[in-house]
Amino acid sequence: MTAGRHIPALDGIRGLAAILVVLSHFPTFALPIIVNHHVGDYGVLLFFTLSGFLMGHLYLPRPPDRMALASYAAARIARIVPLYACISLLSFAIYRFYPDFIYPIGLVELVRQVSFTSSVSVFWSIGPEFQFYFLFPLIWGATYARKAIRGWLYLAIGGAIAICYAASPWLPGFSAFAKMHIFMAGILCAMLVRRLTPAQMDRLFIPLALFSLLFLALLAYPPAPMTDWIFPSTRHDPKHLVYYGDPLKLGASILIILSATIPHPINDHIWGNRVMRLLGAYSFSLYLLHMPLFQLARLTGMAFGLTVPVQIALALTLSIVAAALSHELFERPVGNWVRRKLTTIWGRPQPASPQPMTVET
């Protein structure tokens, strides 16, 4: 596979992950459960695995020189910070005047938002993602270290991730260290994809695609004997370790992403079609905005006596339209501007040190 090439089907997988999270929040607003509300855990698991995959796919093929690191840092900050900061500040302002707002962000919580350690609603998952961006260059640099020490660096990184995985029950859920095994699995998946030949990928596609579709069908309609494994209770598991710490669930997430990386007309129709790709493009805005808009739809429905199906349609319509407007009018243009500015500043060559003057005799 060509290193760093754009994979349209992965846009659709990102859109799928966002939809799983959106559907999981129906019970929060007393709307009928369409699917098990724990599908949102699978959505977040897909997001984290996909993030690791994309870091490995986009950046590992290129040596981490000054310009590459500047481009990387600018792109990661521009991807997350502008929209995240805007919605955090807006939520803070709304909460001051409307204490029942779905995002209860007061002054203390705003500080946690700024430090990416928030545990409020969907914001908790942004922290591990952004923190991981600071850790990835260590893995990136290790892949280009001298051959004599590269193996030792890999061993040290692997050992550190194993320790983090073992300690994850005691680590904060918003910490990247508690989720490093997920991000690393995505990176390893990207490294595997780089080594597969087109013939090998063709042979793998049918079994991987069938597995992916079967697993997604099980999420929608789990048979009774498998329900307890697919959707275990988190009553005494506030960090949802039965989802994020389960190697089998992580393996399923990896296989779904691996399936989507294979160039095939079926992938183009299922994941790479225009609707799924647009959902993928809008996913970050949709992820952050859907809960306030669900709350608005619910309050509107109660005030005007709207039926539950109409409330659901209104909630989904408002969320998708707002996400599209947010992406097109704010997220993309502001993100592009921030990326260009930061790349220019950080990628600018350093001025040469002045040479000492010589004294002629």
Side-chain angles (χ1 to χ4, degrees), residues 158-191:
I161 292 172
I163 292 172
C164 288
Y165 177 71
S168 59
W170 298 277
L171 294 173
F174 54 75
S175 167
F177 294 106
K179 306 294 187 296
M180 274 305 294
H181 59 284
I182 305 176
F183 295 120
M184 193 65 209
I187 294 173
L188 292 175
C189 182
M191 296 173 72

Side-chain angles (χ1 to χ4, degrees), residues 177-259:
F177 294 106
K179 306 294 187 296
M180 274 305 294
H181 59 284
I182 305 176
F183 295 120
M184 193 65 209
I187 294 173
L188 292 175
C189 182
M191 296 173 72
L192 172 64
V193 167
R194 286 174 58 190
R195 285 162 174 75
L196 290 175
T197 65
Q200 290 172 326
M201 298 183 83
D202 286 342
R203 288 195 296 270
L204 285 172
F205 177 73
I206 294 300
L208 286 177
L210 289 175
F211 170 83
S212 300
L213 295 176
L214 175 61
F215 190 78
L216 294 175
L218 291 176
L219 294 185
Y221 305 103
M226 300 185 66
T227 301
D228 288 341
W229 178 78
I230 296 176
F231 295 118
S233 171
T234 56
R235 183 181 300 275
H236 303 293
D237 180 20
K239 298 176 183 177
H240 294 207
L241 296 172
V242 289
Y243 292 92
Y244 305 127
D246 187 338
L248 294 178
K249 293 181 176 63
L250 177 57
S253 178
I254 292 171
L255 292 179
I256 291 171
I257 291 172
L258 182 59
S259 170

Side-chain angles (χ1 to χ4, degrees), residues 82-83 86 282 285 321-336:
L83 185 64
C86 180
Y282 303 156
S285 289
V321 170
L325 293 174
S326 169
H327 176 78
E328 298 296 339
L329 301 180
F330 182 85
E331 183 185 352
R332 184 172 63 175
V334 174
N336 288 340

Side-chain angles (χ1 to χ4, degrees), residues 138 141-157:
L138 299 176
T143 62
Y144 286 90
R146 296 195 308 273
K147 191 173 182 180
I149 64 171
R150 192 183 307 160
W152 291 105
L153 290 175
Y154 286 163
L155 185 62
I157 291 172

